[in-house]
């Protein structure tokens, strides 16, 4: 049959023997409810180290009794025994009644019994959260850590955030423990830390895999330095398309169809690879992005995925470098028996959409917009004026004063209704010569006469500039207008409509 333990019997007697009721989880003593663990055990709540409860050596008690019996003053205050439960027990280490407690490695066993009596009398033993509930807590803490680990997208910051749930849980468990509920902290904290470790390894592997994918995808049309910046700062890369002010680049080899008919396909591929490699290296060296190759044509841009304030200047410098690179390239081609190459380039600066565009299974990082189309049209407009690099006013203004530009004309390209003033990019400012400056002044005077519809005066000035293809083009146009087809002077600016791409 059931019988009470010593602490329970003492507490029951101290409470004047109230009714007892026992079930699987609770012992009721009168109005006090004692939570029980499996096997009818009670989890003690210790209140301090050895000496927390009043302790009187038996020798002192015997001396006090002898003094009273002999009518002498009692050396012990007897009131400490009033309304108290008194336990007798051993305290000497040699008697082997020392027990470890949360506060002391060796506490007299009688004080452990006193703690049990105290817990029962005051209804203050600890409740222990069940193993099932501890597992639920561990799951919740681990899931929260896992969520925070991947919340920021950065491993180090995510790890710092992920440590917060187990740390907060540890703090709360102490507070809850002081209020009578003991939650086994090891499982939730260890599971959270293992989750952080496993999640960190997974994210680290995923990050490396993502970096390899980005590097593989972008290394085809970005310089290694720019690819590294994109990998370290992926927020710079907005997928799906975004509007930016950038500069586009279009180049094409003059008469490439005729060249391709003169040589074998193998030789053609060899020439193209050599040419495209040289031009691509120059574009990437200034932070440009190679959009695509279309046969002998190169499409590129500056300003994405890395934003540059000087994108127009970078594009102009690259265009000049590409033209300058033709001299050594053509010497090499001539030495191998191949024809020389002449490239036309068109630039355009303004708003355009850039991003990954295409289908969900195949897409390209490319640019779109009317500004992009203008750059393509200006590349073709070089044929009309005999120039090598043509840009709109927006590019000339954005590039700054580092370059020498010549204002050529105001034209309307195919597919666009708005006229645009076009310029020829000639050289860097430090490469200018007095002869070039004189040519530009004369051309500017002729252009003023042309726009005033003084075609005779304009033609004479243009014709005075020998061996200058744009001047020859404008002189021929002035003579045509002078003789028969002079445009009507309706007060609007003189705009020339281009009829070919």
């Amino acid at each position: 049959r059931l019988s009470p333990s010593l602490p329970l019997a003492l507490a029951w007697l101290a409470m004047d023997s109230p009714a007892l009721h026992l079930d699987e989880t609770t012992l009721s003593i009168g109005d006090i409810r004692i939570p029980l663990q499996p096997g009818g055990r009670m989890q003690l709540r210790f209140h301090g180290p050895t000496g927390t409860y009043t302790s009187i050596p038996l020798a002192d008690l015997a001396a006090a009794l002898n003094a009273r019996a002999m009518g002498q003053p009692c050396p012990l205050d007897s009131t400490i025994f009033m309304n108290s439960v008194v336990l007798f027990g051993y305290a000497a280490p040699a008697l082997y009644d020392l027990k470890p407690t949360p506060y002391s490695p060796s506490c007299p066993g009688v004080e452990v019994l006193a703690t049990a009596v105290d817990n029962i009398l005051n209804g203050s033993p600890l409740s222990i959260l069940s193993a099932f509930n501890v597992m639920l807590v561990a799951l919740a803490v681990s899931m929260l850590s896992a969520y925070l680990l991947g919340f920021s997208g950065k491993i180090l910051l995510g790890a710092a955030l992920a440590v917060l749930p187990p740390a907060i849980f540890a703090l709360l468990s102490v507070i809850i423990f002081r209020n009578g509920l003991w939650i086994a902290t090891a499982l939730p904290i260890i599971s959270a830390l293992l989750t952080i470790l496993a999640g960190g390894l997974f994210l680290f592997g995923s990050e490396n895999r993502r970096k390899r994918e980005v590097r593989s995808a972008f290394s085809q049309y970005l310089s290694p330095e720019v690819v590294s910046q994109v990998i370290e700062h992926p927020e710079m890369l907005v997928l799906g398309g975004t509007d930016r002010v950038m500069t586009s680049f279009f180049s094409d080899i003059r008469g490439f169809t005729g060249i391709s008919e003169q040589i074998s396909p193998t030789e053609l591929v060899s020439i193209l690879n050599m040419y495209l490699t040289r031009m691509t290296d120059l574009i990437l060296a200034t932070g440009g992005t190679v959009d695509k190759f279309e046969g002998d044509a190169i499409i590129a841009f500056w300003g994405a995925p890395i934003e540059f304030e000087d994108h127009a200047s970078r594009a102009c410098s690259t265009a000049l470098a590409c033209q300058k690179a033709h001299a050594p390239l053509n010497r090499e081609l001539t030495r191998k028996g191949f024809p020389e190459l002449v490239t036309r380039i068109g630039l355009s600066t303004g708003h355009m959409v850039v991003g990954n565009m295409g289908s969900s299974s195949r897409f390209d990082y490319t640019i779109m917009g009317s500004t992009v189309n203008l750059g393509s049209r200006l590349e073709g407009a070089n044929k009309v004026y005999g120039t090598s690099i043509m840009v709109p006013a927006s590019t000339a203004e954005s590039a700054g004063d580092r370059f020498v530009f010549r204002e050529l004309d105001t034209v309307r390209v195919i597919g666009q209704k708005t006229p645009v003033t076009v310029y020829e990019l000639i050289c860097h400012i430090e490469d200018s010569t007095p002869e070039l400056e004189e040519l530009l002044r004369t051309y500017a005077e002729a252009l003023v006469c042309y726009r005033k519809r003084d075609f005779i005066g304009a033609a004479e000035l243009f014709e005075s500039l020998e061996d200058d293809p744009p001047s020859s083009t404008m002189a021929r146009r002035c003579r045509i207008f002078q003789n028969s087809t002079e445009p009507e002077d309706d007060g609007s600016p003189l705009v020339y409509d281009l009829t070919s791409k």
Side-chain angles (χ1 to χ4, degrees):
R1 59 188 179 85
L2 294 176
S3 59
S5 63
L6 174 61
L8 175 56
L10 285 175
W12 180 65
L13 291 173
M15 297 169 65
D16 294 332
S17 306
L20 291 172
H21 178 73
L22 177 67
D23 58 31
E24 293 183 356
T25 60
T26 307
L27 172 66
S28 300
I29 308 176
D31 296 332
I32 295 177
R33 301 291 183 269
I34 306 297
L36 299 179
Q37 304 309 311
R41 293 175 297 170
M42 179 181 70
Q43 183 64 50
L44 299 182
R45 179 192 290 188
F46 290 87
H47 299 293
T50 302
T52 297
Y53 298 98
T54 302
S55 180
I56 301 172
L58 188 59
D60 292 351
L61 181 58
L65 292 174
N66 289 333
R68 172 176 291 187
M70 297 174 62
Q72 296 175 355
C74 183
L76 187 65
D77 181 9
S78 61
T79 59
I80 62 174
F81 298 105
M82 295 178 62
N83 301 315
S84 297
V85 175
V86 180
L87 293 90
F88 290 82
Y90 301 119
L95 298 177
Y96 301 103
D97 192 24
L98 299 179
K99 309 295 182 184
T101 71
Y103 289 97
S104 303
S106 55
C107 176
V110 67
E111 289 202 32
V112 176
L113 296 175
T115 301
V117 175
D118 184 10
N119 285 183
I120 296 172
L121 290 175
N122 293 286
S124 60
L126 289 173
S127 297
I128 301 179
L129 196 66
S130 67
F132 177 76
N133 289 326
V134 170
M135 292 178 62
L136 292 180
V137 171
L139 180 62
V141 174
S142 299
M143 290 180 64
L144 188 56
S145 291
Y147 172 76
L148 292 178
L149 181 63
F151 177 76
S152 66
K154 297 181 178 180
I155 296 178
L156 292 179
L157 179 58
L161 293 175
V163 172
L164 290 178
I168 293 173
F169 165 74
L171 178 61
L172 289 176
S173 67
V174 172
I175 297 173
I176 294 173
F177 179 81
R178 293 183 179 277
N179 287 274
L181 178 61
W182 181 12
I183 303 177
T185 56
L187 178 61
I189 291 178
I190 291 175
S191 63
L193 294 178
L194 290 177
T195 298
I196 295 172
L197 177 61
L201 292 175
F202 174 78
L203 290 178
F204 182 76
S206 299
E207 181 73 7
N208 283 343
R209 185 168 58 253
R210 185 191 64 80
K211 287 182 178 181
R212 288 195 300 270
E213 291 172 353
V214 171
R215 187 178 295 278
S216 173
F218 283 90
S219 60
Q220 301 177 32
Y221 42 80
L222 291 176
S223 66
E225 294 78 9
V226 174
V227 172
S228 297
Q229 291 187 55
V230 171
I231 290 173
E232 295 302 322
H233 304 281
E235 65 274 7
M236 294 180 177
L237 181 62
V238 180
L239 302 179
T242 184
D243 185 276
R244 288 188 187 178
V245 176
M246 305 192 307
T247 298
S248 62
F249 172 103
F250 288 81
S251 71
D252 195 44
I253 297 176
R254 185 179 71 189
F256 185 74
T257 302
I259 294 175
S260 64
E261 293 174 349
Q262 301 174 24
I263 56 179
S264 67
T266 303
E267 292 174 328
L268 181 64
V269 171
S270 177
I271 292 176
L272 264 184
N273 287 341
M274 187 184 304
Y275 164 77
L276 294 175
T277 298
R278 301 280 178 90
M279 300 301 109
T280 299
D281 289 344
L282 293 171
I283 292 170
L284 298 182
T286 56
T289 301
V290 177
D291 186 335
K292 60 177 68 72
F293 301 117
E294 293 182 350
D296 60 308
I298 302 174
I299 303 174
F301 51 89
W302 283 260
I306 307 299
E307 291 191 59
F308 299 115
E309 293 293 332
D310 59 342
H311 50 82
S313 176
R314 290 170 181 258
C316 290
S317 293
T318 304
L320 291 172
C322 288
Q323 293 295 353
K324 188 175 181 180
H326 274 66
L329 175 63
N330 284 331
R331 284 196 298 269
E332 187 175 345
L333 291 175
T334 303
R335 190 167 58 251
K336 294 181 178 180
F338 297 137
E340 293 186 350
L341 302 180
V342 178
T343 301
R344 294 186 293 259
I345 297 174
L347 305 178
S348 181
T349 300
H351 286 274
M352 55 189 77
V353 177
V354 60
N356 277 332
M357 303 177 197
S359 69
S360 58
S361 58
R362 181 176 177 81
F363 51 81
D364 290 321
Y365 191 73
T366 187
I367 49 176
M368 297 179 64
S370 60
T371 303
V372 179
N373 295 334
L374 176 61
S376 174
R377 297 292 184 267
L378 294 186
E379 179 273 314
N382 282 298
K383 293 182 287 187
V384 177
Y385 295 89
T387 53
S388 296
I389 307 173
M390 188 177 292
V391 304
S394 59
T395 301
E397 293 168 0
S398 299
D401 56 3
R402 294 178 49 205
F403 306 92
V404 176
F405 293 97
R406 168 171 35 179
E407 184 178 348
L408 290 173
D409 198 1
T410 300
V411 301
R412 185 181 290 109
V413 301
I414 292 178
Q416 296 189 11
K417 297 180 179 180
T418 304
V420 58
T421 300
V422 294
Y423 293 74
E424 178 190 12
L425 172 60
I426 300 177
C427 62
H428 287 93
I429 193 71
E430 60 269 18
D431 296 329
S432 180
T433 63
E435 294 77 14
L436 175 60
E437 293 174 2
E438 179 62 28
L439 182 149
L440 296 180
R441 278 195 296 271
T442 303
Y443 190 96
E445 292 174 8
L447 192 60
V448 171
C449 294
Y450 169 77
R451 286 172 173 166
K452 290 181 178 179
R453 289 177 167 78
D454 178 9
F455 298 114
I456 296 177
E460 292 176 351
L461 288 172
F462 282 130
E463 288 170 351
S464 69
L465 300 174
E466 298 179 359
D467 299 324
D468 182 48
S471 298
S472 300
T473 298
M474 296 300 290
R476 285 194 300 271
R477 188 189 304 170
C478 288
R479 294 304 184 190
I480 293 173
F481 287 166
Q482 168 194 341
N483 294 331
S484 58
T485 59
E486 178 180 338
E488 256 184 63
D489 187 358
D490 57 359
S492 61
L494 193 57
V495 177
Y496 184 74
D497 291 317
L498 297 176
T499 57
S500 62
K501 295 182 180 179

